[in-house]
Amino acid sequence: TLRDAAVATAGNTENFVTLDGTRVGHLFDASRGRPSNPHLSASVVARSGTDSDTGSNLAFLLGRDALACLPGVLDSHFVG
């Protein structure tokens, strides 16, 4: 049961195109100048919707360690 918390998921499972047989998602890794495809999705449970939304994008793009900067994050889950 989700109580006094929010969950958000970032991923490339729905917004993507296939170019020359390669799946290219809509989440962009600005440090590499390329689409980011490390996972299919990253979900984050946090104390607020803002932290869960921010956290899911950070986690998808930069990995679980990036969540350390958000004290409101309670849990995370990755697929793929």
Side-chain angles (χ1 to χ4, degrees):
T1 302
L2 189 64
R3 180 178 220 120
D4 297 324
V7 64
T9 300
N12 284 329
T13 56
E14 295 184 24
N15 288 330
F16 68 91
V17 295
T18 303
L19 299 173
D20 296 325
T22 300
R23 183 184 184 120
V24 179
H26 74 289
L27 292 170
F28 199 79
D29 182 347
S31 67
R32 295 183 319 128
R34 308 198 59 162
S36 181
N37 293 308
H39 314 283
L40 290 177
S41 67
S43 297
V44 171
V45 178
R47 290 188 177 94
S48 73
T50 303
D51 280 350
S52 64
D53 185 49
T54 301
S56 65
N57 284 290
L58 278 174
F60 184 87
L61 294 168
L62 303 175
R64 191 178 315 267
D65 292 342
L67 297 175
C69 70
L70 295 173
V73 171
L74 304 171
D75 195 11
S76 61
H77 179 74
F78 293 83
V79 174

